[in-house]
């Protein structure tokens, strides 16, 4: 294998596209493969098919370098690549909390027949522990190169909205390997990051698989912990923001992922904790992670409690009440609406008879496609016109920076529920708004 291995990236969704683009910018020859011809056409044409700050510029740079190309033909991957990264999705199954592994299985079984020479297949997708062992046998039994094909696991920790930064300057790299050869290949595939002194943990396959779900479970637990404290604050008159700030000064606790509010959503945290509980049950260690059920339940409750707060502010009933819903994406700087708390709240409000107008700076197309029955506005002003309650549900900077006097001119009543603790209560109250947030006194 050459000093600088040639890389293929199988699956050019959010994770794969970012990985392929960044690796090409780092100097590798990269071939991105996807079955979705529209996605491949867009990427080949220099267009990123989702919203991610900084990635379009990186794509142009990568394409201009001549080191990156895309194809729908997986047969090309076998001849081209020394290292094949599996970057397909593992969503929650339609009928159970388990991870749906069909895309991982499909990509491995369609790649294997084309592996005619020694190479390393590297899993990056988030999978239930034990998947890598199963995939190793699948690969080695159907690849013409047999046991000269090895599998490694290199979990990905990138955050939407920070994908480029997290890929170019990761906190750590985890290399799950079964041989010194696999380790040396991974070292050559990540040489620029190793030269930049990114910490590396070398481990076995099951540990590498587990690191990812453990990390996401810990982050989810931290968020639900502070939201559980918010519930206690709600009945005691205490202030969860001041509580969180006080906790954050203790370096053993730290302030990150301690932002109370509407809770976590997205394509990762919610489904990862559910899949982890399910896998632990299958393995007979379910009791060890049963607290994650509570983490999930606390998180789900935030959505209903936000609706309760909006109803209370509207005077006890939502029937016929006009609500301006600011935000649809599961978090700012993303157009991703998977398991988005904001849209769940909007739908719960509509179910109680409210007239909800949703505005989001980036996620409107995705929201319209997924929930055509909601009303959408093209601007904050349009969403706010005549509203009896404004609900801030995703903390985009555009919403954080809203001028309470300016917004006050559009609404019918100056009521605001800050679902993300994104605004300064004093400023809004001084402008005659009834400001409310979960976990803070009215
Ligand atoms: C998450 C992890 O942070 C990444 O490390 C991981 O790689 C990724 O999942 C994945 O598994 O692929 P992401 O889903 O992009 O990344 O988003 P986060 O920034 O983790 O936010 C998740 C949710 O938690 C959002 O809905 C956010 O609004 C919420 N959140 C976050 C809070 O409610 N409070 C906080 O303090 C922090």
């Amino acid at each position: 294998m050459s000093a600088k291995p040639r890389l293929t990236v199988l699956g050019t969704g959010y994770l794969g596209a970012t990985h392929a683009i960044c690796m090409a910018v780092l100097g590798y020859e990269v071939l991105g493969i996807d079955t979705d011809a529209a996605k491949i056409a867009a990427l080949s044409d220099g267009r990123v098919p989702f919203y991610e700050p900084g990635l379009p510029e990186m794509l142009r740079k990568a394409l201009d370098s001549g080191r990156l190309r895309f194809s729908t033909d997986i047969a090309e991957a076998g001849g081209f690549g020394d290292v094949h990264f599996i970057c397909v999705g593992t969503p929650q199954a339609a009928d159970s909390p388990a991870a749906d592994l069909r895309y991982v299985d499909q990509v491995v079984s369609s790649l294997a027949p084309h592996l005619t020479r020694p190479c390393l297949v590297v899993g990056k997708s988030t999978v239930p522990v034990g998947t890598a062992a199963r995939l190793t046998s699948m690969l080695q039994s159907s690849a013409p190169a047999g046991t000269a094909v090895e599998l490694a696991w290199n979990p990905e920790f990138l955050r939407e909205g920070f994908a480029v930064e997290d890929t170019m300057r990761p906190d750590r790299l985890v290399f799950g390997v079964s041989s010194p050869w696999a380790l040396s290949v991974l070292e050559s595939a990540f040489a620029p990051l190793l030269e930049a002194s990114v910490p590396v943990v070398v481990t076995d396959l099951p540990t590498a698989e587990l690191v990812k779900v453990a990390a996401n479970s810990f982050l989810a637990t931290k968020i639900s912990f502070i939201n559980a404290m918010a519930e206690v604050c709600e009945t005691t008159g205490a202030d969860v923001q001041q509580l969180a700030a006080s906790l954050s000064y203790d370096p053993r606790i730290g302030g990150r992922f301690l932002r109370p509010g509407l809770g976590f959503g997205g394509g990762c945290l919610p489904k990862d904790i559910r899949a982890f509980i399910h896998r632990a049950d299958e393995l007979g260690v379910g009791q060890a992670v049963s607290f994650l059920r509570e983490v999930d339940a606390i998180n789900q409750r935030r959505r209903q409690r936000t609706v309760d707060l909006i109803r209370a502010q509207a005077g006890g009933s939502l029937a016929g009440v006009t609500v301006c819903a600011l935000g649809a994406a599961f978090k700012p700087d993303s157009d991703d609406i998977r398991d988005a708390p904001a849209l769940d709240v909007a739908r719960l409000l509509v179910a109680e008879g409210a007239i909800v107008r949703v505005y989001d700076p980036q996620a409107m197309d995705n929201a319209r496609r997924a929930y055509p029955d909601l009303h959408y506005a093209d601007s904050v002003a349009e969403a706010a016109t005549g509203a009896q309650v404004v609900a801030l549900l995703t903390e985009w900077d555009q919403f954080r920076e809203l001028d309470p006097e300016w917004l006050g001119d559009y609404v019918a009543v100056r009521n605001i529920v800050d679902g993300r603790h994104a605004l300064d209560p004093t400023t809004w109250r001084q402008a005659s708004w009834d400001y409310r947030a979960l976990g803070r006194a009215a």
Side-chain angles (χ1 to χ4, degrees), residues 15 72 106 147 203 213 244 251 259 297 312 326 331 362 377 435 438:
L15 163 61
T72 51
Q106 273 166 11
T147 53
T203 184
V213 280
R259 292 194 317 275
L326 297 181
K331 69 172 193 178
Q362 290 294 338
Y435 171 96
L438 288 176

Side-chain angles (χ1 to χ4, degrees), residues 49-112:
F50 49 86
Y51 177 74
E52 179 61 38
L55 198 58
E57 294 80 356
M58 293 288 277
L59 173 59
R60 269 190 293 280
K61 207 167 153 183
L63 290 173
D64 288 349
S65 75
R67 288 189 294 270
L68 177 63
R69 81 189 163 83
F70 295 95
S71 167
T72 51
D73 184 6
I74 201 159
E76 280 188 50
F80 178 89
D82 303 307
V83 181
H84 305 278
F85 287 99
I86 300 173
C87 295
V88 292
T90 53
Q92 184 173 332
D95 50 357
S96 98
D100 181 351
L101 295 178
R102 108 180 61 164
Y103 305 109
V104 171
D105 288 359
Q106 273 166 11
V107 81
V108 167
S109 54
S110 46
L111 174 69

Side-chain angles (χ1 to χ4, degrees), residues 111-124:
L111 174 69
H114 306 292
L115 302 179
T116 51
R117 59 188 170 86
C119 62
L120 188 67
V121 177
V122 183
K124 280 184 101 57

Side-chain angles (χ1 to χ4, degrees), residues 153-239:
W153 217 264
N154 164 234
E156 179 58 60
F157 303 102
L158 66 80
R159 298 160 298 166
E160 296 193 14
F162 299 90
V164 173
E165 190 184 319
D166 288 352
T167 307
M168 302 300 274
R169 280 174 292 279
D171 295 332
R172 76 294 210 189
L173 288 166
V174 175
F175 293 162
V177 291
S178 341
S179 75
W181 177 78
L183 177 59
S184 69
V185 175
L186 277 175
E187 283 169 348
S188 52
F190 286 96
L193 299 184
L194 301 184
E195 279 156 25
S197 303
V198 172
V200 182
V201 178
V202 179
T203 184
D204 50 43
L205 293 171
T207 307
E209 293 171 304
L210 264 176
V211 169
K212 177 60 189 279
V213 280
N216 277 359
S217 297
F218 192 85
L219 295 170
T221 303
K222 226 177 154 187
I223 300 168
S224 277
F225 175 83
I226 199 63
N227 282 332
M229 294 305 107
E231 285 188 33
V232 178
C233 289
E234 278 145 38
T235 49
T236 55
D239 186 305

Side-chain angles (χ1 to χ4, degrees), residues 321-368:
V321 171
T322 305
V323 180
C324 161
L326 297 181
F330 85 102
K331 69 172 193 178
D333 296 319
S334 167
D335 62 358
D336 193 341
I337 56 154
R338 286 176 293 170
D339 204 343
L343 286 170
D344 243 10
V345 168
R347 286 154 63 220
L348 289 167
L349 291 168
V350 169
E352 289 197 38
I355 302 144
V356 182
R357 280 200 300 266
V358 179
Y359 172 73
D360 188 283
Q362 290 294 338
M364 298 295 274
D365 290 346
N366 287 340
R368 277 199 177 98

Side-chain angles (χ1 to χ4, degrees), residues 264-329:
F264 58 83
C268 302
L269 262 49
K271 64 105 179 158
D272 286 354
I273 59 173
R274 289 175 202 145
F276 192 19
I277 296 166
H278 180 83
R279 183 64 180 144
D281 280 340
E282 279 180 350
L283 293 168
V285 286
Q287 206 182 3
V289 298
S290 68
F291 70 95
L292 290 175
R293 285 183 223 281
E294 205 50 54
V295 167
D296 197 9
I298 293 165
N299 191 53
Q300 288 299 315
R301 276 207 296 277
R302 301 312 281 167
R303 303 172 187 197
Q304 187 58 54
R305 290 177 85 91
T306 301
V307 172
D308 295 346
L309 195 58
I310 297 169
R311 189 193 312 103
Q313 199 175 41
S317 166
L318 284 162
V321 171
T322 305
V323 180
C324 161
L326 297 181

